[in-house]
């Protein structure tokens, strides 16, 4: 589960890095702001030069488009992570139902004296796949069934499975729940946790940081412009 979380987060974080741009390449926000600063400096030295004033407008336009492009790219990464997270939860629910079904077959087979080794191998394989998606605990019952707990809640009890739900709120944050009870913070690892980290951290931090930086640049430019300097 820890490996699944790390791999999922690393993959999406790499995409997020790509969206933000490598500093110094010319298309990152730092470079775009620096180009505007340099254009302003050049225009200040020769305010009568129309080409230098035009260069200021062009640099400002490039910076504005850069903010928009980077913000859209970050949003696209977040949207893909959100979709992936919901797909993984759907896959997890299918696997939990499969474990419950195999539990029923194993218990029934044992009651009639049949060999259950193949069924148990199949169940172990499904449990292994589940453990890549989310951290879990197992409880072995007499009779051959295995119960599965996620975030301290029983998601497989004998032949019954309780599905997880993934939902997005108005701000774009993704939450997990079982029977309407939130478990987001209690899920510690797995590919689902890795994608949750990308979605919720980028929404709470990266997007907000980009908006704050854009606003601060606007305020600084407007203040300077209003003062006539």
């Amino acid at each position: 589960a820890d490996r699944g979380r790390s791999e999922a987060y690393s993959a999406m974080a790499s995409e997020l890095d790509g969206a933000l741009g490598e500093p110094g390449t010319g298309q990152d926000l730092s470079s775009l702001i620096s180009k505007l600063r340099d254009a302003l400096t050049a225009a200040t030295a020769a305010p009568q030069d129309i080409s230098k004033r035009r260069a200021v407008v062009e640099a400002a336009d490039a910076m504005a488009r850069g903010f928009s492009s980077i913000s859209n790219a970050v949003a696209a990464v977040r949207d893909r992570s959100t979709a992936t997270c919901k797909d993984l939860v759907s896959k997890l629910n299918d696997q939990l139902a499969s474990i419950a079904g195999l539990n029923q077959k194993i218990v029934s087979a044992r009651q009639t004296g049949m060999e259950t080794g193949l069924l148990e191998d199949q169940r172990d394989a499904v449990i292994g796949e589940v453990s890549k998606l989310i951290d879990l605990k197992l409880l072995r019952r007499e009779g051959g069934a295995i119960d599965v707990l996620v975030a301290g809640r029983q998601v497989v009890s004998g032949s019954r499975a309780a599905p997880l739900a993934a939902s997005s709120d108005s701000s774009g944050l993704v939450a997990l729940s079982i029977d309407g009870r939130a478990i987001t913070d209690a899920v510690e690892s797995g590919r689902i946790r890795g994608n949750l980290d990308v979605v919720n951290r980028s929404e709470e931090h990266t997007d907000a940081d980009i908006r704050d930086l854009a606003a601060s640049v606007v305020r600084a430019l407007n203040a300077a412009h209003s003062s006539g300097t």
Side-chain angles (χ1 to χ4, degrees), residues 200-227:
N200 293 348
R201 288 182 184 177
S202 68
E203 179 64 32
E204 291 182 320
H205 301 292
T206 309
D207 282 1
D209 289 345
I210 292 173
R211 289 193 294 269
D212 289 346
L213 178 59
S216 68
V217 172
V218 168
R219 285 194 298 269
L221 282 171
N222 288 343
H225 189 257
S226 296
S227 67

Side-chain angles (χ1 to χ4, degrees), residues 105-128:
K105 291 179 181 179
I106 291 168
V107 171
S108 296
R110 285 194 178 187
Q111 288 173 347
T112 58
M114 293 177 61
E115 171 59 42
T116 61
L118 182 59
L119 291 171
E120 291 180 49
D121 287 345
Q122 292 175 2
R123 184 178 60 187
D124 287 346
V126 178
I127 290 172

Side-chain angles (χ1 to χ4, degrees), residues 53-213:
R53 285 189 278 173
R54 184 178 296 114
V56 171
V57 176
E58 291 173 352
D61 183 59
M63 183 191 69
R65 285 186 282 107
F67 268 106
S68 179
S69 176
I70 290 172
S71 181
N72 289 337
V74 169
V77 173
R78 187 186 65 239
D79 290 344
R80 284 197 296 277
S81 284
T82 298
T84 298
C85 188
K86 292 181 178 180
D87 287 344
L88 291 176
V89 169
S90 178
K91 180 180 179 181
L92 172 65
N93 288 335
D94 289 343
Q95 291 172 335
L96 295 176
S98 178
I99 293 171
L102 287 166
N103 274 344
Q104 186 174 25
K105 291 179 181 179
I106 291 168
V107 171
S108 296
R110 285 194 178 187
Q111 288 173 347
T112 58
M114 293 177 61
E115 171 59 42
T116 61
L118 182 59
L119 291 171
E120 291 180 49
D121 287 345
Q122 292 175 2
R123 184 178 60 187
D124 287 346
V126 178
I127 290 172
E129 291 302 310
V130 169
S131 71
K132 297 176 184 178
L133 301 180
I134 202 164
D135 48 310
L136 52 82
K137 291 183 179 180
L138 305 177
L139 295 175
R140 296 187 179 273
R141 287 188 177 192
E142 290 185 12
I146 291 180
D147 292 347
V148 180
L149 283 75
V150 168
R153 300 192 178 278
Q154 210 160 7
V155 291
V156 174
S157 177
S159 60
R160 298 189 305 275
L164 279 72
S167 59
S168 304
D169 63 19
S170 58
S171 65
L173 300 179
V174 176
L176 299 180
S177 62
I178 299 174
D179 293 330
R181 297 182 178 181
I183 62 166
T184 309
D185 294 339
V187 174
E188 297 180 350
S189 56
R191 292 176 61 196
I192 290 173
R193 178 77 259 175
N195 281 278
L196 279 174
D197 288 343
V198 173
V199 175
N200 293 348
R201 288 182 184 177
S202 68
E203 179 64 32
E204 291 182 320
H205 301 292
T206 309
D207 282 1
D209 289 345
I210 292 173
R211 289 193 294 269
D212 289 346
L213 178 59

Side-chain angles (χ1 to χ4, degrees), residues 25-47:
T25 58
Q27 296 305 311
D28 60 290
L29 292 179
S30 177
S31 296
L32 293 171
I33 294 172
S34 294
K35 288 178 182 178
L36 176 58
R37 177 202 61 202
D38 294 344
L40 284 165
T41 300
T44 300

